[in-house]
Amino acid sequence: MGIFNKKTKTNFLTVSEVSALWLQYMGDSMAICMYKYFLKIVEHKDIKEIIEISLRLSETHIKKITEFLRSAHFQVPIGFTEADVNLNAPRLFSDQFILFYSYIMSLHGLPAYSLAITTLERQDLQNYFFECTRQTNELFQKIQQLAKDQPKFSSVPSIPSPHGPEFVESTGIIDNLIGDKRPLNSSEISTLFFNSKKTGFIRSLSIAFSQVAKSEDVRNFMIKNVKLAGKDADSFDAILKQDHLPIPEKWDVEITDSTISPFSDKLMMFHAAFLVNAALSYYGAALGSSLRSDIMLNYYKVFTHAMEAGTFCYTILVKHGWLEKQPETIDRKSLAKKS
């Protein structure tokens, strides 16, 4: 047996490990482009420090992932490079939006690292992703602490403590659809609030990308995504308002009127696809924790919208040759035909 076929700690990766490293490489190479542009335009001293930390972490991740893949004799992805960012582009985002962007992306990073850890077999890779989790958690706490001092920070709603234990007496399925609805419980409030915040972020980022996209395909998709994400965020807000609960702050006004793109169309479409995939995940999780049928039906609707957006993303990425292929298993049928 040759050395490259031995399953050793230093040169063997399972498919789960390849997937985790590959996806993180793609995401961090994109993040480097975003953060380098942010550093060129940010003025707020404390927000600039957040971006500098974020950039250093992403660059460290890229270096480490490259080492892991090369030691296992796997192709390192192209990902995103200096060709995908225009550091001379004028300001497209306010400092407040840049901080909000960092907040949302760290929210996505933490569960992704935790999920990756559960699929890994190599201890060095587990340790690496544990370290990613620790560093991102520290960054998230810095972002959250800074955000609380900003005028547009939206605090999560609170509810009074119950007087004692209570038990559900009826499913109330029909009442929830056509009659009086029971009050929202804490899980439903939490998921509705955060899904409104994250979906509103998709809308605002899509507005920015729609202004600067060069390709008609990309521009039309972003315009459509603005409508879909806006409608979905509004649907979450409407349910919260029924119980007189606060809704998250919206960020559309934090986008400037610039029409010069800081990013390639390829990067913007990949970013949109990343957020769509994340939305499918957190909509599905929220559906599992919602017990009111009207909320469940709403999640089915927004899940369908995200699936629709995902289909458009995939079609455009493939059409323009922007979708880098992950490593695949051997195509036995093709080999048989060639032989």
Side-chain angles (χ1 to χ4, degrees):
M1 184 186 298
I3 187 173
F4 297 142
N5 295 323
K6 292 179 182 178
K7 296 183 179 181
T8 67
K9 177 181 177 181
T10 56
N11 70 9
F12 178 76
L13 293 171
T14 67
V15 290
S16 297
E17 290 161 350
V18 172
S19 176
L21 293 170
W22 181 279
L23 292 175
Q24 192 193 18
Y25 188 101
M26 296 297 291
D28 272 306
S29 65
M30 176 193 76
I32 288 171
C33 295
M34 299 292 295
Y35 292 136
K36 282 185 174 180
Y37 169 68
F38 290 162
L39 277 180
K40 292 287 288 188
I41 62 172
V42 68
E43 296 176 351
H44 192 290
K45 178 176 68 69
D46 294 330
I47 298 176
K48 183 177 182 180
E49 182 183 352
I50 293 292
I51 300 305
E52 287 172 340
I53 295 170
S54 301
L55 178 59
R56 283 200 303 271
L57 289 178
S58 290
E59 289 177 334
T60 301
H61 295 166
I62 290 296
K63 182 179 179 181
K64 194 67 178 174
I65 295 167
T66 299
E67 293 173 1
F68 282 132
L69 290 174
R70 285 181 176 167
S71 69
H73 308 285
F74 264 94
Q75 176 68 41
V76 178
I78 296 172
F80 299 93
T81 67
E82 294 178 355
D84 294 297
V85 58
N86 174 15
L87 298 180
N88 295 316
R91 177 182 283 270
L92 182 59
F93 309 101
S94 71
D95 284 4
Q96 292 295 309
F97 185 87
I98 291 173
L99 180 63
F100 182 57
Y101 176 95
S102 303
Y103 169 79
I104 292 293
M105 297 307 286
S106 62
L107 274 183
H108 290 319
L110 284 169
Y113 295 148
S114 298
L115 180 60
I117 289 168
T118 65
T119 67
L120 305 175
E121 295 183 9
R122 273 175 48 171
Q123 190 172 359
D124 59 336
L125 286 173
Q126 292 174 357
N127 291 338
Y128 165 69
F129 277 98
F130 274 124
E131 183 64 11
C132 289
T133 304
R134 185 192 65 78
Q135 292 173 334
T136 305
N137 183 59
E138 288 182 358
L139 175 63
F140 176 72
Q141 290 177 328
K142 287 179 181 290
I143 294 170
Q144 195 170 51
Q145 192 59 45
L146 179 58
K148 287 179 181 179
D149 297 330
Q150 306 304 310
K152 294 194 70 171
F153 177 77
S154 300
S155 184
V156 183
S158 60
I159 56 176
S161 173
H163 298 295
E166 299 178 10
F167 296 89
V168 177
E169 297 178 354
S170 169
T171 58
I173 293 176
I174 301 301
D175 287 344
N176 285 339
L177 286 173
I178 61 175
D180 292 333
K181 301 176 177 64
R182 65 155 175 80
L184 295 167
N185 64 35
S186 55
S187 293
E188 292 162 346
I189 295 170
S190 178
T191 54
L192 286 166
F193 188 87
F194 277 104
N195 283 335
S196 172
K197 181 178 285 191
K198 288 182 279 192
T199 308
F201 168 73
I202 294 175
R203 169 189 159 88
S204 297
L205 195 64
S206 297
I207 288 174
F209 288 168
S210 71
Q211 292 177 190
V212 299
K214 298 181 178 66
S215 164
E216 186 175 356
D217 285 343
V218 177
R219 185 166 54 253
N220 289 341
F221 167 79
M222 294 300 173
I223 292 171
K224 183 177 182 64
N225 212 31
V226 168
K227 294 178 181 177
L228 286 176
K231 186 182 297 183
D232 293 342
D234 289 345
S235 73
F236 298 135
D237 292 345
I239 299 172
L240 290 168
K241 286 178 180 177
Q242 289 171 7
D243 276 12
H244 309 286
L245 292 165
I247 62 173
E249 188 72 53
K250 297 300 182 281
W251 296 85
D252 297 356
V253 296
E254 303 299 324
I255 308 299
T256 74
D257 61 354
S258 175
T259 57
I260 300 174
S261 184
F263 313 112
S264 67
D265 282 2
K266 171 189 170 183
L267 184 146
M268 291 190 290
M269 280 306 307
F270 178 87
H271 206 320
F274 169 85
L275 292 174
V276 166
N277 285 335
L280 288 170
S281 177
Y282 52 73
Y283 291 160
L287 180 60
S289 65
S290 300
L291 300 175
R292 254 177 47 176
S293 51
D294 60 320
I295 299 176
M296 294 169 68
L297 288 174
N298 193 70
Y299 276 120
Y300 283 128
K301 180 179 67 176
V302 299
F303 195 89
T304 301
H305 289 166
M307 288 286 289
E308 181 182 348
T311 301
F312 281 120
C313 282
Y314 181 80
T315 301
I316 293 171
L317 286 167
V318 172
K319 175 183 176 181
H320 292 276
W322 293 334
L323 188 62
E324 196 169 349
K325 185 185 290 187
Q326 284 192 52
E328 297 178 342
T329 189
I330 299 170
D331 187 344
R332 304 292 181 184
K333 290 183 180 178
S334 293
L335 290 177
K337 289 179 180 178
K338 289 178 182 178
S339 64

